[in-house]
Amino acid sequence: MSKFVKQLVTNDLAKRLDGVQYLMLVGLTGINANKTVGLRATLAEKGIHLRVIKNSLARRATEGTPLAPAFQDMEGAYAVCWGATDIVNLAKELVKLSKDRTLQGFEIRGAVLDGEALGAAQAVEVSKWPTREEQIAILLGQILGVGATLSGQFISFGGKIASQIEKIAEKGE
C-alpha cells in the first residue's frame, strides 16, 4: 500500500471515529467472507459499525484521541466495533455474538472506555452492567419511590386528622 493510500485510509478512519468515546476490539480469525458479510449486516441493524483496519493505521488515526490507548499494545489481526446507544449495549451484543457457534473465531479482545484500555475479560464484564435505559429506570424508581412514600405518609396523617375532626364534630352535635 502506498503512502498516499495509507494516508487516505487513515483520514477516513479518523473521520469515522471522530466523536466516538468508546469502542471494542474483536478478533475475526477463521471467519470466512460470507459469514463476515452476514455479521456486518447483523451489527448494522443494531447501529454497530465493524471495520477491519491495519494496526499501524489505527494508531495513526486515533493519535491524540481518547481511543488511542486501545491501539498502543495491539498485535495481531483485529476489527474495530463502535456504535449502539452506549458501551454496555455494544458489549452485550458482541458478547452474544461471541457465544454464537456459527461464528467460531469471533472473540472480544479488548475495549477502550473513557480513554482507558480494557482487556478482554474487562470488556466482557462491561456487558454485565445495566444499560443506560436500565440505569435511568432504576434512578427514577428510587426518586419516585421516596415521593410515593412521602405522599402516602401525608395522606395517612391527613386521613387520621380528618377522622378525629369528624369524631369531635359528631360529639359536639
Side-chain angles (χ1 to χ4, degrees), residues 20 22-27 49-51 67 70-71 78-83 86-95 108-112 118-120 122-127:
V20 174
Y22 57 87
L23 58 77
M24 294 190 72
L25 303 170
V26 296
H49 307 279
L50 177 103
R51 181 94 173 176
L67 303 177
F71 303 102
Y78 286 88
V80 178
C81 293
W82 72 94
D86 59 9
I87 184 93
V88 178
N89 281 328
L90 176 63
K92 285 181 190 246
E93 188 60 36
L94 295 179
V95 166
I108 296 173
R109 295 198 177 163
V112 66
L118 305 176
Q122 292 171 314
V124 170
E125 192 64 33
V126 169
S127 71

PDB file of all heavy atoms in Angstrom, residues 20 22-27 49-51 67 70-71 78-83 86-95 108-112 118-120 122-127:
ATOM      1  N   VAL A  20     -16.332   9.527  18.671  1.00  0.00           N
ATOM      2  CA  VAL A  20     -16.569   8.238  19.323  1.00  0.00           C
ATOM      3  C   VAL A  20     -15.801   8.214  20.641  1.00  0.00           C
ATOM      4  O   VAL A  20     -14.623   8.523  20.684  1.00  0.00           O
ATOM      5  CB  VAL A  20     -16.119   7.066  18.409  1.00  0.00           C
ATOM      6  CG1 VAL A  20     -16.229   5.745  19.134  1.00  0.00           C
ATOM      7  CG2 VAL A  20     -16.941   7.055  17.127  1.00  0.00           C
ATOM      8  N   TYR A  22     -16.012   5.434  22.872  1.00  0.00           N
ATOM      9  CA  TYR A  22     -15.762   4.061  23.282  1.00  0.00           C
ATOM     10  C   TYR A  22     -15.778   3.177  22.043  1.00  0.00           C
ATOM     11  O   TYR A  22     -16.410   3.496  21.041  1.00  0.00           O
ATOM     12  CB  TYR A  22     -16.823   3.585  24.271  1.00  0.00           C
ATOM     13  CG  TYR A  22     -18.228   3.703  23.721  1.00  0.00           C
ATOM     14  CD1 TYR A  22     -18.783   2.682  22.957  1.00  0.00           C
ATOM     15  CD2 TYR A  22     -18.982   4.841  23.946  1.00  0.00           C
ATOM     16  CE1 TYR A  22     -20.047   2.801  22.433  1.00  0.00           C
ATOM     17  CE2 TYR A  22     -20.251   4.962  23.423  1.00  0.00           C
ATOM     18  CZ  TYR A  22     -20.784   3.947  22.669  1.00  0.00           C
ATOM     19  OH  TYR A  22     -22.033   4.060  22.141  1.00  0.00           O
ATOM     20  N   LEU A  23     -15.059   2.085  22.118  1.00  0.00           N
ATOM     21  CA  LEU A  23     -15.100   1.076  21.066  1.00  0.00           C
ATOM     22  C   LEU A  23     -14.611  -0.246  21.617  1.00  0.00           C
ATOM     23  O   LEU A  23     -14.067  -0.301  22.715  1.00  0.00           O
ATOM     24  CB  LEU A  23     -14.292   1.496  19.837  1.00  0.00           C
ATOM     25  CG  LEU A  23     -12.803   1.814  19.949  1.00  0.00           C
ATOM     26  CD1 LEU A  23     -11.953   0.576  20.041  1.00  0.00           C
ATOM     27  CD2 LEU A  23     -12.379   2.609  18.735  1.00  0.00           C
ATOM     28  N   MET A  24     -14.846  -1.289  20.860  1.00  0.00           N
ATOM     29  CA  MET A  24     -14.396  -2.613  21.266  1.00  0.00           C
ATOM     30  C   MET A  24     -13.585  -3.227  20.143  1.00  0.00           C
ATOM     31  O   MET A  24     -13.854  -2.978  18.968  1.00  0.00           O
ATOM     32  CB  MET A  24     -15.580  -3.502  21.632  1.00  0.00           C
ATOM     33  CG  MET A  24     -16.294  -2.988  22.862  1.00  0.00           C
ATOM     34  SD  MET A  24     -17.507  -4.115  23.533  1.00  0.00           S
ATOM     35  CE  MET A  24     -16.467  -5.363  24.233  1.00  0.00           C
ATOM     36  N   LEU A  25     -12.596  -4.014  20.529  1.00  0.00           N
ATOM     37  CA  LEU A  25     -11.754  -4.712  19.575  1.00  0.00           C
ATOM     38  C   LEU A  25     -12.149  -6.180  19.575  1.00  0.00           C
ATOM     39  O   LEU A  25     -12.291  -6.781  20.640  1.00  0.00           O
ATOM     40  CB  LEU A  25     -10.283  -4.572  19.968  1.00  0.00           C
ATOM     41  CG  LEU A  25      -9.777  -3.137  20.085  1.00  0.00           C
ATOM     42  CD1 LEU A  25      -8.392  -3.127  20.705  1.00  0.00           C
ATOM     43  CD2 LEU A  25      -9.760  -2.466  18.745  1.00  0.00           C
ATOM     44  N   VAL A  26     -12.351  -6.730  18.390  1.00  0.00           N
ATOM     45  CA  VAL A  26     -12.734  -8.128  18.274  1.00  0.00           C
ATOM     46  C   VAL A  26     -11.809  -8.835  17.302  1.00  0.00           C
ATOM     47  O   VAL A  26     -11.211  -8.216  16.425  1.00  0.00           O
ATOM     48  CB  VAL A  26     -14.206  -8.285  17.814  1.00  0.00           C
ATOM     49  CG1 VAL A  26     -15.156  -7.722  18.836  1.00  0.00           C
ATOM     50  CG2 VAL A  26     -14.441  -7.651  16.467  1.00  0.00           C
ATOM     51  N   GLY A  27     -11.698 -10.132  17.469  1.00  0.00           N
ATOM     52  CA  GLY A  27     -10.936 -10.956  16.554  1.00  0.00           C
ATOM     53  C   GLY A  27     -11.879 -11.685  15.620  1.00  0.00           C
ATOM     54  O   GLY A  27     -12.931 -12.168  16.040  1.00  0.00           O
ATOM     55  N   HIS A  49     -20.995  -0.462  13.978  1.00  0.00           N
ATOM     56  CA  HIS A  49     -20.085  -0.481  12.840  1.00  0.00           C
ATOM     57  C   HIS A  49     -18.944  -1.455  13.118  1.00  0.00           C
ATOM     58  O   HIS A  49     -18.443  -1.514  14.239  1.00  0.00           O
ATOM     59  CB  HIS A  49     -19.496   0.912  12.594  1.00  0.00           C
ATOM     60  CG  HIS A  49     -20.534   1.966  12.458  1.00  0.00           C
ATOM     61  ND1 HIS A  49     -21.222   2.181  11.296  1.00  0.00           N
ATOM     62  CD2 HIS A  49     -21.020   2.856  13.358  1.00  0.00           C
ATOM     63  CE1 HIS A  49     -22.080   3.174  11.473  1.00  0.00           C
ATOM     64  NE2 HIS A  49     -21.983   3.588  12.730  1.00  0.00           N
ATOM     65  N   LEU A  50     -18.522  -2.177  12.086  1.00  0.00           N
ATOM     66  CA  LEU A  50     -17.400  -3.101  12.191  1.00  0.00           C
ATOM     67  C   LEU A  50     -16.422  -2.746  11.078  1.00  0.00           C
ATOM     68  O   LEU A  50     -16.806  -2.638   9.924  1.00  0.00           O
ATOM     69  CB  LEU A  50     -17.872  -4.549  12.032  1.00  0.00           C
ATOM     70  CG  LEU A  50     -16.753  -5.572  12.066  1.00  0.00           C
ATOM     71  CD1 LEU A  50     -16.748  -6.238  13.435  1.00  0.00           C
ATOM     72  CD2 LEU A  50     -16.941  -6.611  11.001  1.00  0.00           C
ATOM     73  N   ARG A  51     -15.188  -2.545  11.464  1.00  0.00           N
ATOM     74  CA  ARG A  51     -14.174  -2.154  10.480  1.00  0.00           C
ATOM     75  C   ARG A  51     -12.877  -2.891  10.784  1.00  0.00           C
ATOM     76  O   ARG A  51     -12.372  -2.836  11.905  1.00  0.00           O
ATOM     77  CB  ARG A  51     -13.960  -0.644  10.582  1.00  0.00           C
ATOM     78  CG  ARG A  51     -12.982  -0.076   9.657  1.00  0.00           C
ATOM     79  CD  ARG A  51     -13.664   0.408   8.442  1.00  0.00           C
ATOM     80  NE  ARG A  51     -12.697   1.115   7.630  1.00  0.00           N
ATOM     81  CZ  ARG A  51     -12.979   1.594   6.472  1.00  0.00           C
ATOM     82  NH1 ARG A  51     -14.190   1.465   6.012  1.00  0.00           N
ATOM     83  NH2 ARG A  51     -12.085   2.205   5.769  1.00  0.00           N
ATOM     84  N   LEU A  67      -9.425   7.352  22.199  1.00  0.00           N
ATOM     85  CA  LEU A  67      -9.399   5.972  21.720  1.00  0.00           C
ATOM     86  C   LEU A  67      -7.985   5.424  21.557  1.00  0.00           C
ATOM     87  O   LEU A  67      -7.803   4.227  21.380  1.00  0.00           O
ATOM     88  CB  LEU A  67     -10.122   5.879  20.369  1.00  0.00           C
ATOM     89  CG  LEU A  67     -11.566   6.357  20.346  1.00  0.00           C
ATOM     90  CD1 LEU A  67     -12.114   6.266  18.935  1.00  0.00           C
ATOM     91  CD2 LEU A  67     -12.420   5.565  21.302  1.00  0.00           C
ATOM     92  N   ALA A  70      -6.379   2.059  23.149  1.00  0.00           N
ATOM     93  CA  ALA A  70      -6.789   0.744  22.667  1.00  0.00           C
ATOM     94  C   ALA A  70      -5.788   0.160  21.683  1.00  0.00           C
ATOM     95  O   ALA A  70      -5.652  -1.054  21.567  1.00  0.00           O
ATOM     96  CB  ALA A  70      -8.162   0.833  22.003  1.00  0.00           C
ATOM     97  N   PHE A  71      -5.068   1.011  20.990  1.00  0.00           N
ATOM     98  CA  PHE A  71      -4.190   0.555  19.921  1.00  0.00           C
ATOM     99  C   PHE A  71      -2.709   0.585  20.283  1.00  0.00           C
ATOM    100  O   PHE A  71      -1.872   0.285  19.446  1.00  0.00           O
ATOM    101  CB  PHE A  71      -4.430   1.402  18.670  1.00  0.00           C
ATOM    102  CG  PHE A  71      -5.864   1.365  18.222  1.00  0.00           C
ATOM    103  CD1 PHE A  71      -6.711   2.423  18.506  1.00  0.00           C
ATOM    104  CD2 PHE A  71      -6.370   0.268  17.559  1.00  0.00           C
ATOM    105  CE1 PHE A  71      -8.034   2.395  18.101  1.00  0.00           C
ATOM    106  CE2 PHE A  71      -7.685   0.225  17.160  1.00  0.00           C
ATOM    107  CZ  PHE A  71      -8.520   1.285  17.430  1.00  0.00           C
ATOM    108  N   TYR A  78      -7.155  -7.505  14.186  1.00  0.00           N
ATOM    109  CA  TYR A  78      -8.297  -7.027  14.971  1.00  0.00           C
ATOM    110  C   TYR A  78      -9.303  -6.362  14.053  1.00  0.00           C
ATOM    111  O   TYR A  78      -8.972  -5.893  12.975  1.00  0.00           O
ATOM    112  CB  TYR A  78      -7.865  -5.964  15.987  1.00  0.00           C
ATOM    113  CG  TYR A  78      -7.122  -6.495  17.172  1.00  0.00           C
ATOM    114  CD1 TYR A  78      -5.744  -6.646  17.147  1.00  0.00           C
ATOM    115  CD2 TYR A  78      -7.788  -6.822  18.334  1.00  0.00           C
ATOM    116  CE1 TYR A  78      -5.050  -7.111  18.234  1.00  0.00           C
ATOM    117  CE2 TYR A  78      -7.100  -7.295  19.432  1.00  0.00           C
ATOM    118  CZ  TYR A  78      -5.732  -7.437  19.376  1.00  0.00           C
ATOM    119  OH  TYR A  78      -5.059  -7.900  20.467  1.00  0.00           O
ATOM    120  N   ALA A  79     -10.518  -6.294  14.532  1.00  0.00           N
ATOM    121  CA  ALA A  79     -11.550  -5.476  13.913  1.00  0.00           C
ATOM    122  C   ALA A  79     -12.034  -4.516  14.989  1.00  0.00           C
ATOM    123  O   ALA A  79     -12.026  -4.842  16.173  1.00  0.00           O
ATOM    124  CB  ALA A  79     -12.695  -6.329  13.404  1.00  0.00           C
ATOM    125  N   VAL A  80     -12.425  -3.343  14.572  1.00  0.00           N
ATOM    126  CA  VAL A  80     -12.877  -2.310  15.495  1.00  0.00           C
ATOM    127  C   VAL A  80     -14.391  -2.218  15.398  1.00  0.00           C
ATOM    128  O   VAL A  80     -14.944  -2.152  14.304  1.00  0.00           O
ATOM    129  CB  VAL A  80     -12.240  -0.941  15.121  1.00  0.00           C
ATOM    130  CG1 VAL A  80     -12.725   0.147  16.038  1.00  0.00           C
ATOM    131  CG2 VAL A  80     -10.732  -1.042  15.138  1.00  0.00           C
ATOM    132  N   CYS A  81     -15.074  -2.235  16.540  1.00  0.00           N
ATOM    133  CA  CYS A  81     -16.534  -2.103  16.586  1.00  0.00           C
ATOM    134  C   CYS A  81     -16.894  -0.890  17.430  1.00  0.00           C
ATOM    135  O   CYS A  81     -16.359  -0.709  18.519  1.00  0.00           O
ATOM    136  CB  CYS A  81     -17.177  -3.332  17.212  1.00  0.00           C
ATOM    137  SG  CYS A  81     -17.017  -4.817  16.242  1.00  0.00           S
ATOM    138  N   TRP A  82     -17.805  -0.086  16.919  1.00  0.00           N
ATOM    139  CA  TRP A  82     -18.305   1.048  17.685  1.00  0.00           C
ATOM    140  C   TRP A  82     -19.745   1.294  17.274  1.00  0.00           C
ATOM    141  O   TRP A  82     -20.224   0.778  16.282  1.00  0.00           O
ATOM    142  CB  TRP A  82     -17.438   2.295  17.482  1.00  0.00           C
ATOM    143  CG  TRP A  82     -17.567   2.952  16.146  1.00  0.00           C
ATOM    144  CD1 TRP A  82     -18.385   3.989  15.813  1.00  0.00           C
ATOM    145  CD2 TRP A  82     -16.865   2.624  14.943  1.00  0.00           C
ATOM    146  NE1 TRP A  82     -18.238   4.322  14.493  1.00  0.00           N
ATOM    147  CE2 TRP A  82     -17.309   3.502  13.939  1.00  0.00           C
ATOM    148  CE3 TRP A  82     -15.910   1.668  14.616  1.00  0.00           C
ATOM    149  CZ2 TRP A  82     -16.823   3.451  12.636  1.00  0.00           C
ATOM    150  CZ3 TRP A  82     -15.433   1.619  13.314  1.00  0.00           C
ATOM    151  CH2 TRP A  82     -15.880   2.501  12.351  1.00  0.00           C
ATOM    152  N   GLY A  83     -20.451   2.060  18.063  1.00  0.00           N
ATOM    153  CA  GLY A  83     -21.845   2.369  17.772  1.00  0.00           C
ATOM    154  C   GLY A  83     -22.729   1.937  18.923  1.00  0.00           C
ATOM    155  O   GLY A  83     -22.285   1.836  20.059  1.00  0.00           O
ATOM    156  N   ASP A  86     -24.792   2.865  23.751  1.00  0.00           N
ATOM    157  CA  ASP A  86     -23.728   3.043  24.737  1.00  0.00           C
ATOM    158  C   ASP A  86     -22.821   1.826  24.731  1.00  0.00           C
ATOM    159  O   ASP A  86     -23.088   0.841  24.042  1.00  0.00           O
ATOM    160  CB  ASP A  86     -24.295   3.327  26.139  1.00  0.00           C
ATOM    161  CG  ASP A  86     -25.198   2.215  26.663  1.00  0.00           C
ATOM    162  OD1 ASP A  86     -25.263   1.142  26.036  1.00  0.00           O
ATOM    163  OD2 ASP A  86     -25.822   2.415  27.704  1.00  0.00           O
ATOM    164  N   ILE A  87     -21.750   1.898  25.484  1.00  0.00           N
ATOM    165  CA  ILE A  87     -20.771   0.801  25.519  1.00  0.00           C
ATOM    166  C   ILE A  87     -21.378  -0.480  26.054  1.00  0.00           C
ATOM    167  O   ILE A  87     -21.020  -1.573  25.624  1.00  0.00           O
ATOM    168  CB  ILE A  87     -19.508   1.197  26.332  1.00  0.00           C
ATOM    169  CG1 ILE A  87     -18.446   0.081  26.295  1.00  0.00           C
ATOM    170  CG2 ILE A  87     -19.831   1.473  27.769  1.00  0.00           C
ATOM    171  CD1 ILE A  87     -17.446   0.197  25.245  1.00  0.00           C
ATOM    172  N   VAL A  88     -22.325  -0.375  26.951  1.00  0.00           N
ATOM    173  CA  VAL A  88     -22.920  -1.575  27.541  1.00  0.00           C
ATOM    174  C   VAL A  88     -23.737  -2.328  26.486  1.00  0.00           C
ATOM    175  O   VAL A  88     -23.621  -3.553  26.366  1.00  0.00           O
ATOM    176  CB  VAL A  88     -23.779  -1.231  28.778  1.00  0.00           C
ATOM    177  CG1 VAL A  88     -24.438  -2.461  29.349  1.00  0.00           C
ATOM    178  CG2 VAL A  88     -22.927  -0.540  29.828  1.00  0.00           C
ATOM    179  N   ASN A  89     -24.548  -1.610  25.710  1.00  0.00           N
ATOM    180  CA  ASN A  89     -25.314  -2.263  24.645  1.00  0.00           C
ATOM    181  C   ASN A  89     -24.381  -2.874  23.607  1.00  0.00           C
ATOM    182  O   ASN A  89     -24.629  -3.971  23.113  1.00  0.00           O
ATOM    183  CB  ASN A  89     -26.259  -1.273  23.967  1.00  0.00           C
ATOM    184  CG  ASN A  89     -27.502  -1.025  24.768  1.00  0.00           C
ATOM    185  OD1 ASN A  89     -27.979  -1.908  25.472  1.00  0.00           O
ATOM    186  ND2 ASN A  89     -28.037   0.173  24.682  1.00  0.00           N
ATOM    187  N   LEU A  90     -23.312  -2.167  23.283  1.00  0.00           N
ATOM    188  CA  LEU A  90     -22.323  -2.685  22.340  1.00  0.00           C
ATOM    189  C   LEU A  90     -21.701  -3.967  22.880  1.00  0.00           C
ATOM    190  O   LEU A  90     -21.617  -4.977  22.179  1.00  0.00           O
ATOM    191  CB  LEU A  90     -21.243  -1.628  22.086  1.00  0.00           C
ATOM    192  CG  LEU A  90     -20.078  -2.028  21.188  1.00  0.00           C
ATOM    193  CD1 LEU A  90     -20.560  -2.345  19.782  1.00  0.00           C
ATOM    194  CD2 LEU A  90     -19.039  -0.916  21.155  1.00  0.00           C
ATOM    195  N   ALA A  91     -21.283  -3.938  24.133  1.00  0.00           N
ATOM    196  CA  ALA A  91     -20.657  -5.108  24.745  1.00  0.00           C
ATOM    197  C   ALA A  91     -21.630  -6.286  24.820  1.00  0.00           C
ATOM    198  O   ALA A  91     -21.253  -7.423  24.533  1.00  0.00           O
ATOM    199  CB  ALA A  91     -20.138  -4.760  26.138  1.00  0.00           C
ATOM    200  N   LYS A  92     -22.872  -6.025  25.184  1.00  0.00           N
ATOM    201  CA  LYS A  92     -23.865  -7.100  25.282  1.00  0.00           C
ATOM    202  C   LYS A  92     -24.062  -7.773  23.928  1.00  0.00           C
ATOM    203  O   LYS A  92     -24.117  -9.004  23.831  1.00  0.00           O
ATOM    204  CB  LYS A  92     -25.197  -6.561  25.797  1.00  0.00           C
ATOM    205  CG  LYS A  92     -25.195  -6.267  27.281  1.00  0.00           C
ATOM    206  CD  LYS A  92     -26.535  -5.759  27.748  1.00  0.00           C
ATOM    207  CE  LYS A  92     -26.423  -5.265  29.157  1.00  0.00           C
ATOM    208  NZ  LYS A  92     -27.151  -5.994  30.138  1.00  0.00           N
ATOM    209  N   GLU A  93     -24.153  -6.981  22.882  1.00  0.00           N
ATOM    210  CA  GLU A  93     -24.362  -7.539  21.548  1.00  0.00           C
ATOM    211  C   GLU A  93     -23.153  -8.351  21.092  1.00  0.00           C
ATOM    212  O   GLU A  93     -23.292  -9.443  20.547  1.00  0.00           O
ATOM    213  CB  GLU A  93     -24.659  -6.413  20.549  1.00  0.00           C
ATOM    214  CG  GLU A  93     -25.081  -6.907  19.202  1.00  0.00           C
ATOM    215  CD  GLU A  93     -26.337  -7.761  19.225  1.00  0.00           C
ATOM    216  OE1 GLU A  93     -27.247  -7.487  20.022  1.00  0.00           O
ATOM    217  OE2 GLU A  93     -26.390  -8.727  18.441  1.00  0.00           O
ATOM    218  N   LEU A  94     -21.959  -7.832  21.323  1.00  0.00           N
ATOM    219  CA  LEU A  94     -20.760  -8.538  20.893  1.00  0.00           C
ATOM    220  C   LEU A  94     -20.521  -9.806  21.703  1.00  0.00           C
ATOM    221  O   LEU A  94     -20.076 -10.818  21.162  1.00  0.00           O
ATOM    222  CB  LEU A  94     -19.550  -7.614  20.955  1.00  0.00           C
ATOM    223  CG  LEU A  94     -19.590  -6.428  19.986  1.00  0.00           C
ATOM    224  CD1 LEU A  94     -18.350  -5.562  20.145  1.00  0.00           C
ATOM    225  CD2 LEU A  94     -19.752  -6.868  18.557  1.00  0.00           C
ATOM    226  N   VAL A  95     -20.828  -9.778  22.988  1.00  0.00           N
ATOM    227  CA  VAL A  95     -20.692 -10.987  23.812  1.00  0.00           C
ATOM    228  C   VAL A  95     -21.679 -12.051  23.332  1.00  0.00           C
ATOM    229  O   VAL A  95     -21.339 -13.231  23.241  1.00  0.00           O
ATOM    230  CB  VAL A  95     -20.887 -10.669  25.311  1.00  0.00           C
ATOM    231  CG1 VAL A  95     -21.097 -11.926  26.130  1.00  0.00           C
ATOM    232  CG2 VAL A  95     -19.703  -9.884  25.833  1.00  0.00           C
ATOM    233  N   ILE A 108     -13.958 -11.340  21.645  1.00  0.00           N
ATOM    234  CA  ILE A 108     -13.684 -10.000  22.149  1.00  0.00           C
ATOM    235  C   ILE A 108     -12.257  -9.975  22.666  1.00  0.00           C
ATOM    236  O   ILE A 108     -11.861 -10.841  23.443  1.00  0.00           O
ATOM    237  CB  ILE A 108     -14.692  -9.618  23.241  1.00  0.00           C
ATOM    238  CG1 ILE A 108     -16.078  -9.559  22.619  1.00  0.00           C
ATOM    239  CG2 ILE A 108     -14.309  -8.297  23.896  1.00  0.00           C
ATOM    240  CD1 ILE A 108     -17.188  -9.363  23.583  1.00  0.00           C
ATOM    241  N   ARG A 109     -11.506  -8.975  22.227  1.00  0.00           N
ATOM    242  CA  ARG A 109     -10.103  -8.903  22.619  1.00  0.00           C
ATOM    243  C   ARG A 109      -9.762  -7.673  23.449  1.00  0.00           C
ATOM    244  O   ARG A 109      -8.654  -7.566  23.944  1.00  0.00           O
ATOM    245  CB  ARG A 109      -9.226  -8.926  21.380  1.00  0.00           C
ATOM    246  CG  ARG A 109      -9.334 -10.240  20.638  1.00  0.00           C
ATOM    247  CD  ARG A 109      -8.200 -10.416  19.728  1.00  0.00           C
ATOM    248  NE  ARG A 109      -8.249 -11.702  19.071  1.00  0.00           N
ATOM    249  CZ  ARG A 109      -7.556 -11.982  17.995  1.00  0.00           C
ATOM    250  NH1 ARG A 109      -6.765 -11.078  17.468  1.00  0.00           N
ATOM    251  NH2 ARG A 109      -7.653 -13.166  17.455  1.00  0.00           N
ATOM    252  N   GLY A 110     -10.688  -6.757  23.569  1.00  0.00           N
ATOM    253  CA  GLY A 110     -10.418  -5.576  24.375  1.00  0.00           C
ATOM    254  C   GLY A 110     -11.403  -4.470  24.068  1.00  0.00           C
ATOM    255  O   GLY A 110     -12.318  -4.630  23.264  1.00  0.00           O
ATOM    256  N   ALA A 111     -11.198  -3.343  24.710  1.00  0.00           N
ATOM    257  CA  ALA A 111     -12.068  -2.181  24.526  1.00  0.00           C
ATOM    258  C   ALA A 111     -11.344  -0.948  25.023  1.00  0.00           C
ATOM    259  O   ALA A 111     -10.280  -1.041  25.642  1.00  0.00           O
ATOM    260  CB  ALA A 111     -13.373  -2.372  25.297  1.00  0.00           C
ATOM    261  N   VAL A 112     -11.945   0.186  24.748  1.00  0.00           N
ATOM    262  CA  VAL A 112     -11.475   1.436  25.333  1.00  0.00           C
ATOM    263  C   VAL A 112     -12.709   2.202  25.795  1.00  0.00           C
ATOM    264  O   VAL A 112     -13.710   2.270  25.093  1.00  0.00           O
ATOM    265  CB  VAL A 112     -10.604   2.268  24.351  1.00  0.00           C
ATOM    266  CG1 VAL A 112     -11.403   2.750  23.169  1.00  0.00           C
ATOM    267  CG2 VAL A 112      -9.952   3.434  25.045  1.00  0.00           C
ATOM    268  N   LEU A 118      -9.164  -1.452  28.092  1.00  0.00           N
ATOM    269  CA  LEU A 118      -9.663  -2.580  28.879  1.00  0.00           C
ATOM    270  C   LEU A 118      -9.226  -3.873  28.208  1.00  0.00           C
ATOM    271  O   LEU A 118      -9.229  -3.967  26.979  1.00  0.00           O
ATOM    272  CB  LEU A 118     -11.190  -2.551  28.957  1.00  0.00           C
ATOM    273  CG  LEU A 118     -11.852  -1.289  29.488  1.00  0.00           C
ATOM    274  CD1 LEU A 118     -13.360  -1.408  29.393  1.00  0.00           C
ATOM    275  CD2 LEU A 118     -11.428  -1.014  30.903  1.00  0.00           C
ATOM    276  N   GLY A 119      -8.889  -4.854  28.999  1.00  0.00           N
ATOM    277  CA  GLY A 119      -8.546  -6.160  28.474  1.00  0.00           C
ATOM    278  C   GLY A 119      -9.800  -6.918  28.061  1.00  0.00           C
ATOM    279  O   GLY A 119     -10.923  -6.447  28.259  1.00  0.00           O
ATOM    280  N   ALA A 120      -9.609  -8.110  27.528  1.00  0.00           N
ATOM    281  CA  ALA A 120     -10.741  -8.911  27.059  1.00  0.00           C
ATOM    282  C   ALA A 120     -11.712  -9.239  28.195  1.00  0.00           C
ATOM    283  O   ALA A 120     -12.928  -9.108  28.043  1.00  0.00           O
ATOM    284  CB  ALA A 120     -10.234 -10.189  26.411  1.00  0.00           C
ATOM    285  N   GLN A 122     -12.162  -7.637  31.041  1.00  0.00           N
ATOM    286  CA  GLN A 122     -12.839  -6.418  31.483  1.00  0.00           C
ATOM    287  C   GLN A 122     -13.912  -5.998  30.482  1.00  0.00           C
ATOM    288  O   GLN A 122     -14.986  -5.524  30.876  1.00  0.00           O
ATOM    289  CB  GLN A 122     -11.831  -5.286  31.658  1.00  0.00           C
ATOM    290  CG  GLN A 122     -10.865  -5.496  32.800  1.00  0.00           C
ATOM    291  CD  GLN A 122      -9.757  -4.462  32.778  1.00  0.00           C
ATOM    292  OE1 GLN A 122      -9.171  -4.178  31.735  1.00  0.00           O
ATOM    293  NE2 GLN A 122      -9.471  -3.894  33.945  1.00  0.00           N
ATOM    294  N   ALA A 123     -13.643  -6.163  29.204  1.00  0.00           N
ATOM    295  CA  ALA A 123     -14.617  -5.807  28.174  1.00  0.00           C
ATOM    296  C   ALA A 123     -15.859  -6.687  28.275  1.00  0.00           C
ATOM    297  O   ALA A 123     -16.980  -6.212  28.121  1.00  0.00           O
ATOM    298  CB  ALA A 123     -13.990  -5.919  26.790  1.00  0.00           C
ATOM    299  N   VAL A 124     -15.661  -7.964  28.559  1.00  0.00           N
ATOM    300  CA  VAL A 124     -16.797  -8.874  28.738  1.00  0.00           C
ATOM    301  C   VAL A 124     -17.573  -8.490  30.001  1.00  0.00           C
ATOM    302  O   VAL A 124     -18.796  -8.558  30.040  1.00  0.00           O
ATOM    303  CB  VAL A 124     -16.323 -10.344  28.792  1.00  0.00           C
ATOM    304  CG1 VAL A 124     -17.442 -11.270  29.205  1.00  0.00           C
ATOM    305  CG2 VAL A 124     -15.758 -10.760  27.440  1.00  0.00           C
ATOM    306  N   GLU A 125     -16.869  -8.063  31.036  1.00  0.00           N
ATOM    307  CA  GLU A 125     -17.510  -7.649  32.289  1.00  0.00           C
ATOM    308  C   GLU A 125     -18.435  -6.445  32.072  1.00  0.00           C
ATOM    309  O   GLU A 125     -19.464  -6.322  32.733  1.00  0.00           O
ATOM    310  CB  GLU A 125     -16.429  -7.322  33.326  1.00  0.00           C
ATOM    311  CG  GLU A 125     -16.942  -7.151  34.725  1.00  0.00           C
ATOM    312  CD  GLU A 125     -17.541  -8.407  35.320  1.00  0.00           C
ATOM    313  OE1 GLU A 125     -17.082  -9.508  35.006  1.00  0.00           O
ATOM    314  OE2 GLU A 125     -18.487  -8.267  36.112  1.00  0.00           O
ATOM    315  N   VAL A 126     -18.072  -5.564  31.156  1.00  0.00           N
ATOM    316  CA  VAL A 126     -18.899  -4.388  30.850  1.00  0.00           C
ATOM    317  C   VAL A 126     -20.286  -4.819  30.378  1.00  0.00           C
ATOM    318  O   VAL A 126     -21.278  -4.140  30.647  1.00  0.00           O
ATOM    319  CB  VAL A 126     -18.206  -3.496  29.785  1.00  0.00           C
ATOM    320  CG1 VAL A 126     -19.132  -2.422  29.253  1.00  0.00           C
ATOM    321  CG2 VAL A 126     -16.957  -2.857  30.371  1.00  0.00           C
ATOM    322  N   SER A 127     -20.367  -5.960  29.707  1.00  0.00           N
ATOM    323  CA  SER A 127     -21.666  -6.423  29.207  1.00  0.00           C
ATOM    324  C   SER A 127     -22.626  -6.795  30.328  1.00  0.00           C
ATOM    325  O   SER A 127     -23.823  -6.931  30.100  1.00  0.00           O
ATOM    326  CB  SER A 127     -21.478  -7.619  28.267  1.00  0.00           C
ATOM    327  OG  SER A 127     -21.089  -8.761  28.997  1.00  0.00           O
TER     328      SER A 127
END
